[in-house]
Amino acid sequence: MKTFIFALICILPVITSGGDIITVDDDGPADFNNVQDAINNSQDGDTIIVEPGTYNGNILFNNKAVTLTSRDPEDPNVVGSTIITADSGYSVSFDSNEVSSSVLTGFTITGRGVYCYNETSPTISKNIIRDCVTWGIFGQASTFEVAQAAPVISENFILRNKGGVASCDGPIINNVISENVYNVPLSIGSGGLTYCDGLISGNIISYNFSSYRGGACYECNGDVINNIMIGNASVTAGGAMSFCHGNIYNNIIAGNKCDSSGGGLFGCTNNLHNNTIVGNIAGDSGGAIGLCPGEIKNNIIAFNKARTTGGISGRCSNSYNLIWANPGGNYGNEAIISPTEIIEDPNFAINGYWDPNGTIDESDNFWVDGDYHLKSEAGRWSPDEQSWIQDSQTSPCIDTGDPNTALIAELWPHGNRVNIGAYGNTTQASWSLSDVGNIADLNYDGWVDYEDLAMFTNKWLCSEVLLAQDLDRDGQVDLTDLSILLANWQLRPPIPQPPTPNPMTWAMEPSEISSTAIVMVATQATSADGSGVEYYFKCDTAGGHDSGWQDEQSYTDAGLVPDTEYSYRVKARNKANLVETELSQARSATTIPLDTTPPDPNPAQWQTEPYLVPPSSIRMVAATASDPSGAEYYFQCTSNSQYSSGWQDSPEYTASSLPEGVYSFVVRARDKSPNFNMTENSSVVTVDLQPPSPNPMQWAQGGEPEEVYLGGGSLIGYWAQMTAAEATDPDGDVEYFFECTTNSSFNSGWQSSTYYEVQVGRKGQYLHFRVKARDIYGNETAYSLELPAI
C-alpha cells in the first residue's frame, strides 16, 4: 500500500483533474492486464497507470484524452522496466485527432516506435524510445515533406532507432536524440530530425548518422535554439544540419562530419546568430558552414577542417564572428572576411578535439567535446561546479558581438554589449571586465526604476541559478537582492550548509541488473540553500566508474566485468554553493555471470521445412528458440548467400524473386545476451525451382496435333490427337498440360501421359494446341510451339 501511495504522489503532476485512475499490470492485481483494454474502457480525463512489465504494442489511443503513464515517469528504473513493444505496425499510435491532453509518459518504447496520424498533437514526454526498426517518432504527412502531425515531444531519450523523429511540427524540447542511424542510400532522411518544422530547443542531438543529408537535422524549418549537436555524421551534405530554414541561435555544433560539403551546416538559409561551431570536418568544402546564404554573425567558427575552406564556404552576409584556425582556409567560394570579424584564439574553458585513437588512420578518430564557455578574469560560469569562477585571461569574444544586438539575458557585468558564441546573450555569458551598466538594471535601459522592480518581483523567492534578479548570485531571489536593488548594500550570507541527510544514505542499495551493469538509487536529498541538489556515486572498485555530479537520484554503472563485485558510496551537494554531504556507507553488488548457453533447441530445428511458393519464392519457418535474453534467427542459403536472411527476430523467412535453380537452406539461432551464443545449424533442406527438360516444351516427333475421324459415319466423330516429347526431371514424375488456345473446353488438365486425344465434333475447325510440363514441385516449363490440328 505504501508503494502504491508513493507512486500516486510521483505522478500527481501528470494526472488530469476530475478523471478516474485506472491500473494495468500484466502479472498482478489491477483493473486490466493489458494497456489497450484499459484505453478502450477509459473516459476523457482518466489516468491509466501501468505497472512495470513488457506489454504488446500496436496500442491505439482512439481519440481518448487520457494520460497513459508508468508508475513513475521520473524514475529511470521504472521507465526502463515499463516496456511497450511491437513486431509490426507501430508500438504506439495516436490515430484520431488526439490533442495535448492525450499524454504518453514514462515508458520504454521499442520495436516499432510511436506514430502520430494527421491532425494529431499529443504530448509525448519522459519516455525512452530506443532500438526501433522504424523512426523513433513518425508523423503522418500528406507528403514526406509536409507534416500534418504536431506532437509535443519533450524530455525523451530517443536512441538507436532507424531515425530519430520525422514529420512532426510540434515543439521538440529538452530531449536526448542520439545514436540513431538512417542508412538508406539516396533516400531522404536524417539520423536525428527530419522535416520537423516546430521549435527545436534544449536538445542534445548527438552521434546520429544519415546516409543522405544532415546527421542531426534535415529540412527542419522551425527555429533551432540552444541545442547541443555533437558527433553527428552524414554522407552527402551537412554533418549536423542540412537545408534547415528557421533561425539558428545559441547552439553548440561540434565534432560533426560530412563526406562532402558542410561539416557543420549546409544549405541553411536563415539567420545563424551566436552559435559555437567548432571541430567539424567536411571531405570537400565548408568544414564549418557550406552554402548558407543568410546572416551569419556573433558566431565562433574555429578548428573546423575541409579539403578546401575549413571555415565559411559560399557567399553570405557575415559579420562580428570570431574565425580561427580552420585548416583549408577560413573563407572560400565567394565568402570573404568582414572588417568586423576577429581572427584570434577564442580562449574556451576547454577546447574540444579529435582524438587520433592511437593510429594514423583518420577514419577511426573520435571527438572529445570541450567546454565552450569563454575564459574571463571577471567570471566564467562553470557547469561542473555550478558557480562563477575567474580565469587568468579573458577571451576576445567578450563584449565584441554586434553592438546593435539587443542585450536580453547577459548578467552584469556585461559591458553593455553582447558576447560572441553560443553563450552570448544568455545567462551563462562570461562576465565583462567593464563595469559599464548597473547590476540592478534588469531591462538594460540604463535606469533602475519601477520597470526593474516589476521584473524583480516577478521572480520573488525563486530558487534558481543564473537569474538576473538574483543580484547576489546565491541562487535565491530574496530580501538581500531587494536591498541591493534599492540601496546597493548587501547582508552577510549565512554559512553554507550541505543538503540533508548528511552523511548521505541509500534509497536502494547497489543491485546487479545484467552481466555488465549495476543500478543504485540515493535517498532524495534536500538542498540547504533552496537551489536543488546533485548526486555523486563513487565506485571504490578498480574497473568501475564514478557517475560525476548529476541531477538524477539513480545511477547505472555499465561496461563492467561479469561475475565481479563492485563497491559504491554516494554523496550530495547543493547546486548553488556546492557544499557537499559526507559519503554514505559503502555497499556492494556482484554482476551476473556471463551467459554462455545458446538458445534451445540446439541444433536449431525446422517447424516448417523450406517449400516452394509459386512462382518463384521459398518460405520456411524455424522452430521457436527459447532463451532468457531472447533469440534471433539466421536463415542461410548455402547454395547462394545473397538469398540468406541476415539476423532477424522473426522465426519466419521467405526468399523471393528467385531465378530458376536448386536452393539449399539451413537455420540457426542465437541469443540476445552480450555474448550472442549461437546454436548449431539445422538439417539442410533443398528446394527445386528448376522446371523439367526440355524447356520450352516440345512435340514428340510425329506427335504434332492432327484431326482424325473416329466416328463410324457420324458427322461429329472427329478427334484431335497429339503426343508431347517425354520430359525429364531429376526429382521424378512429370505431368503434362495440353491447352487448346482456340476453345478452352478442349484443354486436357494435368495428366501423367504424354499422349492426349479429345473429341472435337465436326471437321475442319482448325483448332490450335500447345503443351507444357511441370515437376512434382509445380515448376512449369514454357509452352511448346502452338500448332493447328489438321
Side-chain angles (χ1 to χ4, degrees):
M1 178 60 72
K2 291 181 179 178
T3 301
F4 181 70
I5 292 172
F6 177 74
L8 289 180
I9 293 172
C10 290
I11 64 169
L12 279 176
V14 301
I15 294 179
T16 305
S17 61
D20 293 332
I21 295 176
I22 300 171
T23 58
V24 178
D25 195 335
D26 63 346
D27 61 358
D31 297 322
F32 296 94
N33 64 8
N34 70 87
V35 175
Q36 191 62 60
D37 283 351
I39 292 176
N40 294 344
N41 288 277
S42 67
Q43 302 294 325
D44 288 351
D46 288 350
T47 297
I48 302 170
I49 303 173
V50 181
E51 290 296 310
T54 299
Y55 297 85
N56 292 329
N58 302 129
I59 291 170
L60 303 176
F61 260 68
N62 294 333
N63 196 22
K64 296 293 183 71
V66 298
T67 295
L68 180 64
T69 177
S70 66
R71 182 200 302 159
D72 184 2
E74 304 296 336
D75 186 338
N77 296 309
V78 172
V79 176
S81 60
T82 312
I83 301 168
I84 299 175
T85 186
D87 294 328
S88 62
Y90 276 82
S91 297
V92 179
S93 294
F94 294 93
D95 59 322
S96 183
N97 299 307
E98 290 85 359
V99 295
S100 60
S101 54
S102 295
V103 180
L104 176 69
T105 183
F107 292 92
T108 291
I109 311 294
T110 187
R112 302 288 298 185
V114 179
Y115 191 85
C116 299
Y117 281 71
N118 285 344
E119 311 297 333
T120 62
S121 55
T123 299
I124 304 169
S125 70
K126 299 181 180 179
N127 303 286
I128 300 171
I129 303 172
R130 61 168 176 82
D131 301 309
C132 296
V133 298
T134 61
W135 298 91
I137 304 175
F138 187 81
Q140 186 181 19
S142 56
T143 67
F144 191 44
E145 298 90 342
V146 182
Q148 294 183 350
V152 177
I153 301 171
S154 66
E155 300 182 71
N156 301 282
F157 287 84
I158 302 172
L159 312 172
R160 300 185 302 277
N161 304 290
K162 176 185 174 182
V165 182
S167 300
C168 292
D169 283 355
I172 300 174
I173 300 174
N174 298 336
N175 302 278
V176 174
I177 303 168
S178 186
E179 298 181 55
N180 301 284
V181 175
Y182 187 82
N183 191 10
V184 185
L186 302 181
S187 178
I188 293 171
S190 165
L193 305 174
T194 302
Y195 293 124
C196 296
D197 292 347
L199 173 66
I200 299 170
S201 178
N203 303 284
I204 297 174
I205 308 174
S206 62
Y207 303 103
N208 302 286
F209 172 79
S210 171
S211 59
Y212 190 59
R213 298 171 176 169
C217 298
Y218 174 69
E219 285 275 10
C220 295
N221 297 327
D223 289 345
V224 180
I225 301 173
N226 193 32
N227 301 280
I228 297 174
M229 302 183 192
I230 60 172
N232 302 284
S234 74
V235 174
T236 307
M241 301 181 70
S242 182
F243 294 105
C244 295
H245 306 302
N247 293 311
I248 300 173
Y249 295 164
N250 297 102
N251 301 281
I252 293 173
I253 302 172
N256 304 284
K257 279 186 176 183
C258 176
D259 293 349
S260 183
S261 298
L265 303 97
F266 183 88
C268 299
T269 57
N270 215 321
N271 298 320
L272 275 65
H273 293 177
N274 280 103
N275 301 284
T276 295
I277 306 171
V278 297
N280 303 285
I281 297 176
D284 187 8
S285 62
I289 299 171
L291 302 183
C292 296
E295 184 179 70
I296 300 175
K297 73 175 182 180
N298 298 343
N299 302 284
I300 298 174
I301 302 170
F303 313 118
N304 303 283
K305 178 180 177 182
R307 182 177 59 84
T308 60
T309 313
I312 303 175
S313 175
R315 182 181 298 177
C316 61
S317 175
N318 54 294
S319 62
Y320 294 99
N321 302 291
L322 180 143
I323 302 187
W324 176 250
N326 297 287
N330 289 331
Y331 304 90
N333 191 19
E334 301 189 41
I336 58 175
I337 188 171
S338 162
T340 63
E341 289 180 320
I342 301 170
I343 310 297
E344 193 173 340
D345 189 328
N347 279 340
F348 294 130
I350 303 173
N351 285 338
Y353 63 92
W354 286 97
D355 191 302
N357 202 23
T359 74
I360 61 174
D361 182 2
E362 292 188 0
S363 67
D364 67 354
N365 293 1
F366 62 91
W367 178 252
V368 179
D369 206 27
D371 178 355
Y372 306 110
H373 292 83
L374 303 173
K375 290 182 179 178
S376 172
E377 296 162 84
R380 163 176 59 86
W381 179 251
S382 170
D384 291 336
E385 299 183 29
Q386 289 287 287
S387 66
W388 295 91
I389 61 176
Q390 292 177 308
D391 298 298
S392 60
Q393 54 188 313
T394 297
S395 167
C397 300
I398 295 175
D399 294 348
T400 50
D402 182 359
N404 294 315
T405 299
L407 281 171
I408 59 173
E410 290 192 16
L411 303 182
W412 189 90
H414 45 62
N416 209 28
R417 185 170 175 178
V418 70
N419 291 352
I420 294 174
Y423 297 110
N425 229 352
T426 76
T427 56
Q428 295 190 39
S430 295
W431 287 346
S432 170
L433 294 174
S434 169
D435 62 0
V436 171
N438 188 303
I439 191 172
D441 180 14
L442 301 181
N443 62 357
Y444 309 100
D445 66 353
W447 303 90
V448 179
D449 56 17
Y450 69 92
E451 292 184 2
D452 300 293
L453 181 60
M455 294 176 65
F456 180 86
T457 57
N458 189 47
K459 294 293 184 180
W460 179 246
L461 297 182
C462 284
S463 297
E464 291 181 41
V465 296
L466 301 174
L467 277 180
Q469 292 86 343
D470 177 21
L471 301 179
D472 64 357
R473 310 297 188 238
D474 69 349
Q476 177 76 34
V477 180
D478 54 19
L479 286 172
T480 302
D481 305 299
L482 180 59
S483 68
I484 296 172
L485 182 76
L486 298 176
N488 287 320
W489 60 269
Q490 181 178 350
L491 295 173
R492 179 185 294 272
I495 297 173
Q497 296 296 315
T500 56
N502 182 30
M504 197 57 189
T505 59
W506 295 102
M508 184 184 84
E509 295 181 357
S511 176
E512 65 279 2
I513 56 173
S514 72
S515 60
T516 59
I518 292 174
V519 67
M520 61 210 76
V521 182
T523 299
Q524 184 172 355
T526 302
S527 170
D529 64 359
S531 64
V533 295
E534 297 177 311
Y535 303 86
Y536 191 103
F537 296 85
K538 178 176 176 56
C539 183
D540 297 326
T541 306
H545 313 94
D546 294 356
S547 68
W549 288 106
Q550 62 178 46
D551 291 339
E552 294 78 16
Q553 288 174 244
S554 66
Y555 172 58
T556 299
D557 192 4
L560 304 177
V561 177
D563 199 20
T564 302
E565 184 178 38
Y566 294 87
S567 179
Y568 299 88
R569 293 177 291 165
V570 64
K571 60 183 176 179
R573 71 179 182 185
N574 300 314
K575 282 189 174 182
N577 60 28
L578 307 183
V579 177
E580 300 178 6
T581 68
E582 296 180 22
L583 285 162
S584 70
Q585 293 184 350
R587 293 292 183 266
S588 62
T590 301
T591 51
I592 297 170
L594 188 65
D595 181 3
T596 60
T597 303
D600 184 61
N602 183 25
Q605 297 179 11
W606 295 106
Q607 176 177 312
T608 303
E609 292 186 349
Y611 63 92
L612 172 67
V613 179
S616 60
S617 297
I618 297 176
R619 183 179 182 271
M620 60 209 77
V621 182
T624 301
S626 174
D627 192 272
S629 65
E632 299 175 309
Y633 304 85
Y634 186 89
F635 297 87
Q636 181 181 3
C637 182
T638 59
S639 52
N640 190 331
S641 62
Q642 82 176 89
Y643 300 113
S644 299
S645 68
W647 287 105
Q648 61 180 49
D649 289 338
S650 173
E652 301 182 14
Y653 175 59
T654 300
S656 303
S657 302
L658 302 174
E660 294 178 357
V662 177
Y663 297 86
S664 296
F665 287 88
V666 296
V667 65
R668 56 183 174 271
R670 72 179 183 187
D671 64 22
K672 295 186 178 181
S673 73
N675 217 30
F676 290 114
N677 301 295
M678 191 181 307
T679 69
E680 296 179 14
N681 287 338
S682 69
S683 59
V684 179
V685 177
T686 300
V687 179
D688 179 10
L689 264 67
Q690 185 74 39
S693 178
N695 182 24
M697 193 55 190
Q698 298 177 9
W699 296 105
Q701 185 173 0
E704 294 85 355
E706 63 176 339
E707 185 179 81
V708 296
Y709 183 70
L710 301 176
S714 171
L715 294 177
I716 58 171
Y718 287 89
W719 293 66
Q721 294 179 337
M722 60 209 77
T723 304
E726 186 169 356
T728 60
D729 189 87
D731 295 311
D733 294 339
V734 175
E735 292 182 316
Y736 304 86
F737 185 88
F738 296 85
E739 180 185 17
C740 179
T741 61
T742 314
N743 187 335
S744 61
S745 65
F746 298 138
N747 292 350
S748 68
W750 287 104
Q751 63 179 47
S752 59
S753 174
T754 60
Y755 173 78
Y756 176 57
E757 64 177 13
V758 60
Q759 185 176 3
V760 297
R762 59 185 175 81
K763 180 181 179 180
Q765 296 184 62
Y766 205 65
L767 299 172
H768 286 66
F769 290 87
R770 58 183 183 176
V771 65
K772 62 181 178 179
R774 71 178 181 187
D775 63 15
I776 61 175
Y777 297 113
N779 298 301
E780 298 182 5
T781 69
Y783 276 106
S784 69
L785 183 66
E786 181 179 319
L787 295 175
I790 56 177

